[in-house]
Amino acid sequence: KISQMDTQWRDKKLYPALGTFTIFFLLYLSFNDNFNFTFPQIFLRQPYMSFVGVNETRFFIKNENPKTQSLIFQELYINGWNSYWLMEESVWVSSRFRVSKMMKRGAEMGLSVCRTWAFSDGGGPNDLQLLPGVFNERVFKGLDFVIVEARKHNIRLILSLVNNLKAYGGTAQYMRWAREAGTNVSSSRDAFFTNPTVKAYYKSFVKAIVTRKNSISGVKYSEEPAIFAWELINEPRCESSSSAAALQAWIAEMAGFVKSLDQKHLVTIGLEGFYGVEKTGNVGLNPGKWAASLGVDFIENSAIENIDFTSVHAYPHSWIKGGINSDARVDFLSHWVDSHISEAEKILKKPVLFTEVGFPSSIQKNGLYDRNIFLKIVYDKIYESAKKKKAGAGALVWQLLVEGMERYGDQFSFIAWKHPSTYKLMVEQSCRLLNISSQGLTHEKLNQKNPCLANAS
């Protein structure tokens, strides 16, 4: 039998102590950046975020004024980055702290959008899609974590849905699956854009992604405001310009398919920005004659109705080979950015986001890193466009790493805080763009670690 003294001790001391411990433990899980245990979704408190929309050539978010209950449409100009490795590093709980660190440091730089892979196609233990329509739930939960962690730090994600390159399976893996299933698939990689079986595989994957319910937050991806946009394909290219019509039709079909599943998120293609043969008068702005033969065209592809904004990449150092001097690359980049902003404004009437801008840091000129010279060109042109309320909506650096992630690097990858001059340049761009777009900030709060907080109205 339980004595009266035991009952009083249990009721007055044990239970209150356990209750207090539970409360503090849950708070610890909610706010500690280094603790990556996935707690049941009922205890997860997520910060408020708005969905991003498009008003002709500008992005906006809808903020609610808590005093008047009215909506304020706040323009949004973007300084962001790429870290394609986030999902892969979130597969294992032991490595998730690096993803958390990347999000935290991005927020501390005032960056607001991160572009990353939402695909990994193949049969490996860490691939997301093992077979057409067959998914690795453990990897899917890694993507769940990326989305939750992004929202925690007020970061929005551009999620790319397939790779045109071979890395992480890509379009070649889809065609390989179709052949293994007995489908007659052309040897040309352009069959990805035309073969009915391959297209059905892609649609099945897209549906699984867009309609997924996050295992941590309980929020469907289609209802998740931390997702900025869906990107149909990373860097689409054809084997020849003869496949241009097939690519154009594929973009229209797949953009429409995504919109049929999700009306809340933006859709973009994933273009590099090249001009096609006999399509527009700007083929001479390409980095070389080779670019016009890839079956892509910036203006024609981007004009498709269900494409909400267009994307451009910029790699003057890898696109322009040979003994060309730095000044020629500077001249190319300057015209490249100007032309795409102008065409997005005057012809397409859509925002243009430079979703990959990559420059090496190994070369110096007059004491300045090459990366800083080229990055400043892009940043200044985006800023001037934003001041005039034009179509230049922002730029995303390729790519940022954290310590321990060097294996994901290439000649354009870097750990920003180990390059103080570049770090300063990026933070300054974040703050001056925020100063333009911060009018009307109400319900959606900036991350308290944002270096631009003091400059926000």
Side-chain angles (χ1 to χ4, degrees):
K1 295 182 179 180
I2 302 175
S3 68
Q4 185 176 4
M5 183 177 296
D6 289 337
T7 302
Q8 291 176 343
W9 178 84
R10 180 188 63 192
D11 293 342
K12 294 183 178 181
K13 294 184 178 181
L14 177 62
Y15 287 170
L18 288 174
T20 301
F21 173 81
T22 301
I23 291 171
F24 279 104
F25 182 65
L26 294 177
L27 288 172
Y28 176 79
L29 294 182
S30 298
F31 296 105
N32 192 323
D33 289 334
N34 296 317
F35 197 87
N36 292 301
F37 178 72
T38 302
F39 210 74
Q41 63 196 44
I42 190 172
F43 298 113
L44 183 67
R45 181 178 178 273
Q46 296 197 101
Y48 173 83
M49 291 186 86
S50 302
F51 285 90
V52 178
V54 167
N55 181 11
E56 292 189 347
T57 61
R58 283 168 279 177
F59 293 123
F60 71 88
I61 56 176
K62 291 188 291 186
N63 279 316
E64 182 179 344
N65 188 323
K67 295 181 180 179
T68 64
Q69 301 299 310
S70 61
L71 290 177
I72 298 175
F73 291 86
Q74 175 203 342
E75 293 176 352
L76 180 65
Y77 297 97
I78 294 163
N79 197 29
W81 85 99
N82 287 265
S83 288
Y84 75 83
W85 46 270
L86 298 178
M87 180 177 69
E88 186 171 2
E89 281 302 305
S90 296
V91 171
W92 305 106
V93 173
S94 60
S95 60
R96 288 182 175 180
F97 74 94
R98 296 188 178 95
V99 175
S100 301
K101 182 175 183 179
M102 186 70 260
M103 294 297 182
K104 179 182 177 182
R105 296 305 295 261
E108 289 172 351
M109 297 171 69
L111 305 178
S112 59
V113 173
C114 175
R115 177 171 171 266
T116 192
W117 295 170
F119 60 77
S120 180
D121 304 304
N126 293 331
D127 284 325
L128 174 59
Q129 187 172 205
L130 304 175
L131 291 168
V134 179
F135 302 98
N136 187 333
E137 181 62 19
R138 179 168 49 83
V139 180
F140 240 144
K141 287 180 178 178
L143 185 57
D144 292 343
F145 176 81
V146 173
I147 294 170
V148 168
E149 199 67 11
R151 184 164 174 176
K152 176 181 176 182
H153 293 281
N154 202 38
I155 302 293
R156 290 181 170 88
L157 301 170
I158 296 177
L159 296 179
S160 190
L161 297 172
V162 71
N163 203 357
N164 193 54
L165 308 174
K166 292 182 179 180
Y168 293 85
T171 57
Q173 180 62 65
Y174 277 82
M175 293 187 289
R176 192 176 302 118
W177 279 330
R179 292 189 188 100
E180 291 171 353
T183 303
N184 184 17
V185 181
S186 168
S187 60
S188 170
R189 69 180 187 181
D190 295 350
F192 177 83
F193 304 115
T194 58
N195 185 274
T197 299
V198 174
K199 290 197 295 181
Y201 288 166
Y202 176 80
K203 285 183 176 180
S204 175
F205 174 75
V206 169
K207 184 176 181 180
I209 290 278
V210 173
T211 62
R212 177 173 173 82
K213 184 177 181 180
N214 194 305
S215 64
I216 302 172
S217 68
V219 178
K220 286 186 176 181
Y221 285 16
S222 59
E223 302 288 332
E224 175 54 71
I227 296 175
F228 180 90
W230 303 110
E231 182 182 271
L232 298 180
I233 180 171
N234 175 51
E235 299 189 340
R237 294 183 178 187
C238 301
E239 288 191 347
S240 74
S241 58
S242 62
S243 296
L247 174 59
Q248 180 78 354
W250 183 89
I251 295 169
E253 180 180 353
M254 298 310 169
F257 180 71
V258 174
K259 289 289 188 179
S260 73
L261 300 172
D262 179 0
Q263 291 80 45
K264 292 189 175 182
H265 288 108
L266 305 178
V267 175
T268 193
I269 302 169
L271 297 174
E272 295 164 276
F274 302 132
Y275 300 98
V277 176
E278 299 177 354
K279 296 294 182 183
T280 66
N282 285 334
V283 68
L285 291 172
N286 281 336
K289 293 182 178 179
W290 53 269
S293 65
L294 300 175
V296 296
D297 183 75
F298 171 72
I299 293 177
E300 185 177 50
N301 299 154
S302 302
I304 290 172
E305 180 181 3
N306 285 314
I307 298 302
D308 296 298
F309 67 94
T310 190
S311 62
V312 182
H313 294 180
Y315 290 101
H317 294 79
S318 58
W319 285 351
I320 304 174
K321 302 292 186 180
I324 191 168
N325 60 40
S326 180
D327 290 340
R329 289 193 173 98
V330 165
D331 186 62
F332 160 77
L333 180 64
S334 181
H335 286 91
W336 185 251
V337 176
D338 283 342
S339 66
H340 287 86
I341 291 177
S342 176
E343 288 155 357
E345 178 73 28
K346 298 175 182 178
I347 301 174
L348 297 169
K349 303 187 186 304
K350 298 179 181 182
V352 57
L353 194 59
F354 291 80
T355 50
E356 287 188 28
V357 292
F359 315 110
S361 62
S362 57
I363 306 171
Q364 289 186 323
K365 180 180 179 180
N366 298 326
L368 295 174
Y369 279 107
D370 215 26
R371 174 183 289 127
N372 294 4
I373 295 171
F374 286 86
L375 188 56
K376 191 174 189 304
I377 291 172
V378 177
Y379 278 174
D380 285 349
K381 290 182 180 297
I382 292 293
Y383 178 59
E384 290 302 318
S385 177
K387 284 198 302 183
K388 297 173 183 176
K389 310 297 183 183
K390 300 296 184 180
L396 280 61
V397 169
W398 182 275
Q399 71 155 335
L400 295 189
L401 307 172
V402 296
E403 292 83 353
M405 294 292 93
E406 288 82 0
R407 65 183 178 276
Y408 294 105
D410 56 24
Q411 63 174 318
F412 307 116
S413 304
F414 61 108
I415 299 172
W417 42 96
K418 290 189 176 181
H419 298 260
S421 60
T422 306
Y423 186 95
K424 180 181 178 182
L425 183 64
M426 295 176 71
V427 171
E428 288 174 348
Q429 178 72 352
S430 296
C431 294
R432 61 181 184 170
L433 289 182
L434 181 62
N435 283 337
I436 295 174
S437 62
S438 61
Q439 294 181 356
L441 277 175
T442 54
H443 195 174
E444 185 173 322
K445 303 297 183 182
L446 291 170
N447 188 294
Q448 292 300 310
K449 297 173 183 176
N450 191 307
C452 316
L453 193 60
N455 298 323
S457 60

